[in-house]
Amino acid sequence: MQSNRLDDQADSAISHQIAEFARLQATGVDPATGKPFSSATRLMRSALETNVPQDNELLIAFWDGRPQLGQGANSSQLSDYQPFDDAVIRRTSTGGAFRLDTPLGPAIVAVQPVRDQTRPGAVAVAYLLEPQHEALRSLMSTYAIVAAIALVLVTAGAWLVASRLLRPLRQLRETAQEISDTDLTRRIETSGNDDLTELAVTFNAMVDRLEASFTANRQFLDDAGHELRTPITIIRGHLELIDAANPGDVTATRDLVLDEIDRMTRMVEDLIVLSRADQPDFIRLTRTDAGALTEEILGKARALGDRDWKLDACTEGSVLVDPQRITQALLQLCKNAFAHTGAGDEIALGFRMEPDRSYWWVRDTGSGIAIEESERIFERFQRGKRMSGSDGSGLGLAIVSAIMRAHAGRVSLESAVGLGSMFTLTIPREVHP
């Protein structure tokens, strides 16, 4: 079955290559010049020059009754094999597919004819089967050996365990039945050093993991609501204020809503992979106009509610960042500032660029944060005492911190109780996450 699947895979790969060539042939336009192909020879050269075959694929162009151009490793070795050349040349006019044993092993070959007013030709696509079949044989041999060893070990282990554990297993089963999805606090009492004790210890460790998982799942629901509330508020605010009679306003609002929906999708993914935030694909670096991005974020933040929103000094310049992640971090800080301020209080957003690093900040004139809380609030699921009435999950600043780590930067806080706070994002000019 696996061998048939590999053959089907080869047929599919060849069909794809032939279809690509047929499409190029049908268009008749040379990608290099934008003009019609001057000859069949130029068509075949263009097809091979612009096509990168897979490891097991070879592309060979024929005209004047012999192979002229090849693409792919070992293409010259195959084109020097006379039975292969003869088989392709016989099909130069009609095309078709055939299977052939070659010095490189068995191969499936498809021929696509090409003709102009002066000379006939053809493109041959060869797919080598031996590398994949060899890998399959090696995999099956390894699997057979591992399966045999595993069977012996499992049989021996089962016999040893069963001989000692059959009688005490009833007590283990009765204790396990008392554990439910609503009460994961029960544990099996352990004593001794026998296999049953080891099983009980392992079972207790499993329940510990399950309890932690259930707690994390419940916390996840709070975190998701906390993170998604900001973009939902922005979308709602702009949709409520949209002027349906103004096409420009409709277009701008539509673009903003679509952007926020995209960001919401990424937020959900971020909550799931927050523990893996150090992976390279956590951010997508783009050369970004920092001034335009800052003004755009401030425009989105104004939808959060009635505050004295201001733009501090904003240096013009280009930075290498992930604009969506920076937007996510700054809007989270704006939301925190909104929660710590009242109507008429000032919230300002700014940007400054220096030779070796860039700074974004969000400051407010709200209630401030105590010094003893300034480090703890960046931990996951932690909230400051002054946010005790908030419905936030305490994940927001942890996400901000993770975004800064991914940018090889950091987030810092300057705050005084009763006077306000300023969060600063510091990012190197050239990020190497």
Side-chain angles (χ1 to χ4, degrees):
M1 180 180 297
Q2 289 294 329
S3 180
N4 292 337
R5 185 179 65 82
L6 293 179
D7 289 345
D8 292 340
Q9 181 179 342
D11 292 338
S12 175
I14 291 176
S15 298
H16 176 74
Q17 290 287 0
I18 292 296
E20 287 292 328
F21 180 74
R23 279 194 290 270
L24 180 63
Q25 187 176 11
T27 61
V29 177
D30 190 339
T33 63
K35 299 179 180 179
F37 289 107
S38 58
S39 65
T41 301
R42 178 54 196 160
L43 169 61
M44 289 184 284
R45 286 186 180 277
S46 177
L48 267 65
E49 289 170 357
T50 58
N51 199 325
V52 179
Q54 298 181 15
D55 293 339
N56 297 340
E57 289 181 350
L58 305 175
L59 303 178
I60 301 175
F62 284 74
W63 64 80
D64 293 340
R66 62 189 181 87
Q68 302 283 356
L69 187 63
Q71 183 70 279
N74 301 318
S75 60
S76 60
Q77 186 175 353
L78 182 60
S79 62
D80 290 339
Y81 185 56
Q82 192 60 44
F84 169 77
D85 296 345
D86 295 340
V88 173
I89 292 171
R90 286 196 301 270
R91 294 169 174 81
T92 299
S93 300
T94 61
F98 59 92
R99 192 182 184 109
L100 182 68
D101 290 329
T102 74
L104 301 175
I108 297 177
V109 184
V111 180
Q112 177 69 23
V114 182
R115 176 182 292 274
D116 60 15
Q117 297 177 353
T118 59
R119 60 175 60 160
V123 171
V125 180
Y127 192 95
L128 302 178
L129 300 174
E130 184 59 28
Q132 291 194 358
H133 284 280
E134 178 62 28
L136 176 61
R137 287 192 294 269
S138 176
L139 176 63
M140 295 304 295
S141 298
T142 303
Y143 175 79
I145 295 173
V146 172
I149 295 175
L151 179 61
V152 172
L153 293 177
V154 169
T155 302
W159 182 82
L160 291 174
V161 172
S163 64
R164 301 184 61 184
L165 298 186
L166 286 178
R167 285 187 298 174
L169 280 180
R170 177 174 298 179
Q171 178 185 1
L172 180 63
R173 176 180 59 81
E174 292 173 351
T175 304
Q177 286 177 338
E178 297 177 6
I179 299 175
S180 67
D181 58 349
T182 57
D183 182 11
L184 295 174
T185 60
R186 293 280 290 122
R187 298 293 184 271
I188 298 173
E189 296 182 2
T190 59
S191 61
N193 297 310
D194 57 10
D195 290 342
L196 179 60
T197 300
E198 292 298 322
L199 177 60
V201 170
T202 302
F203 186 86
N204 286 341
M206 180 189 69
V207 176
D208 289 340
R209 292 193 297 271
L210 287 175
E211 185 177 16
S213 177
F214 272 83
T215 301
N217 285 339
R218 286 191 294 268
Q219 187 67 56
F220 170 79
L221 296 177
D222 293 337
D223 299 339
H226 174 71
E227 282 300 301
L228 294 175
R229 191 171 293 114
T230 300
I232 289 175
T233 302
I234 293 173
I235 292 173
R236 182 184 182 90
H238 281 79
L239 289 178
E240 288 176 348
L241 298 175
I242 187 172
D243 183 359
N246 186 337
D249 191 22
V250 171
T251 299
T253 302
R254 181 200 63 188
D255 293 342
L256 181 141
V257 169
L258 290 175
D259 181 66
E260 288 303 302
I261 290 175
D262 290 340
R263 194 164 61 82
M264 289 167 61
T265 301
R266 289 187 62 184
M267 283 183 187
V268 173
E269 297 171 353
D270 294 344
L271 289 170
I272 298 174
V273 301
L274 184 60
S275 61
R276 297 177 292 173
D278 293 331
Q279 294 184 357
D281 59 353
F282 183 68
I283 60 174
R284 303 164 190 170
L285 298 178
T286 305
R287 184 62 61 179
T288 304
D289 184 337
L293 178 62
T294 305
E295 293 179 1
E296 178 184 340
I297 295 172
L298 182 61
K300 294 178 179 180
R302 285 194 171 99
L304 291 173
D306 180 19
R307 297 292 186 271
D308 184 11
W309 297 96
K310 290 186 176 181
L311 180 66
D312 277 349
C314 186
T315 306
E316 297 294 332
S318 175
V319 291
L320 185 63
V321 296
D322 184 330
Q324 288 195 354
R325 295 295 187 192
I326 295 298
T327 298
Q328 180 181 354
L330 290 174
L331 283 179
Q332 179 61 56
L333 296 178
C334 288
K335 182 181 178 183
N336 285 0
F338 184 84
H340 284 75
T341 55
D345 282 342
E346 181 178 291
I347 302 177
L349 180 65
F351 172 78
R352 184 177 79 256
M353 180 182 296
E354 293 184 355
D356 58 342
R357 55 180 48 88
S358 303
Y359 302 90
W360 267 285
W361 66 86
V362 175
R363 63 175 182 83
D364 64 73
T365 57
S367 57
I369 300 173
I371 296 177
E372 60 271 17
E373 299 176 13
S374 59
E375 292 296 332
R376 184 173 62 86
I377 59 174
F378 291 104
E379 299 175 3
R380 293 182 62 175
F381 313 127
Q382 297 294 325
R383 294 177 294 175
K385 294 180 180 179
R386 293 178 177 271
M387 295 182 65
S388 58
S390 170
D391 59 354
S393 65
L395 184 62
L397 291 180
I399 291 177
V400 174
S401 181
I403 292 173
M404 287 300 98
R405 288 197 304 272
H407 281 82
R410 62 187 179 87
V411 55
S412 57
L413 168 64
E414 297 179 17
S415 183
V417 175
L419 299 178
S421 305
M422 183 170 76
F423 288 87
T424 303
L425 310 182
T426 304
I427 303 175
R429 286 290 300 275
E430 298 298 330
V431 179
H432 300 285

